[in-house]
C-alpha cells in the first residue's frame, strides 16, 4: 500500500514538473525579402537553363530584384 501511494505521489510530482517546462510555439509566416527572393529566383533560373556567366547571373539577379521591388512599391501605394 505504501509503495502504491508513493508511486502515485511521485507520478503526480514529476508530471507537474515536466509540464512546467513546456513552451508554447507560435507559427509565423516569414516572407522573404526582395534580395532573398531574387537570389532564389536566379538559382532556379540557373538550374533550369544551365550554368550562367558572372555577368549574366548579375544581370538576371538585378532583373528579378527590380521586378520584386516594383511589385512591393505597387502594393504599398495601394495599401497606403
Amino acid at each position: 500500500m505504501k509503495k502504491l501511494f508513493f508511486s502515485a505521489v511521485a507520478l503526480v510530482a514529476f508530471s507537474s514538473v515536466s509540464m512546467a517546462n513546456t513552451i508554447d510555439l507560435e507559427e509565423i509566416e516569414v516572407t522573404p525579402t526582395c534580395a532573398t527572393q531574387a537570389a532564389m529566383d536566379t538559382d532556379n533560373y540557373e538550374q533550369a537553363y544551365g550554368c550562367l556567366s558572372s555577368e549574366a547571373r548579375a544581370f538576371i539577379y538585378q532583373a528579378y530584384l527590380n521586378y520584386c521591388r516594383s511589385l512591393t512599391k505597387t502594393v504599398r501605394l495601394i495599401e497606403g
Side-chain angles (χ1 to χ4, degrees):
M1 186 73 165
K2 287 182 182 180
K3 288 183 182 180
L4 179 63
F5 179 72
F6 178 76
S7 297
V9 170
L11 178 66
V12 170
F14 288 120
S15 65
S16 64
V17 169
S18 66
M19 291 296 288
N21 290 332
T22 59
I23 299 172
D24 292 330
L25 298 177
E26 287 184 34
E27 287 188 29
I28 57 171
E29 187 174 329
V30 178
T31 55
T33 63
C34 282
T36 306
Q37 186 64 44
M40 289 189 298
D41 290 341
T42 304
D43 290 340
N44 292 339
Y45 183 91
E46 188 170 24
Q47 286 179 354
Y49 296 106
C51 190
L52 298 172
S53 67
S54 60
E55 293 85 15
R57 184 173 178 79
F59 179 79
I60 292 170
Y61 171 80
Q62 194 62 44
Y64 279 127
L65 186 62
N66 292 340
Y67 177 70
C68 180
R69 287 180 178 165
S70 71
L71 292 177
T72 306
K73 287 178 184 176
T74 304
V75 170
R76 287 185 188 153
L77 289 175
I78 292 171
E79 289 177 354

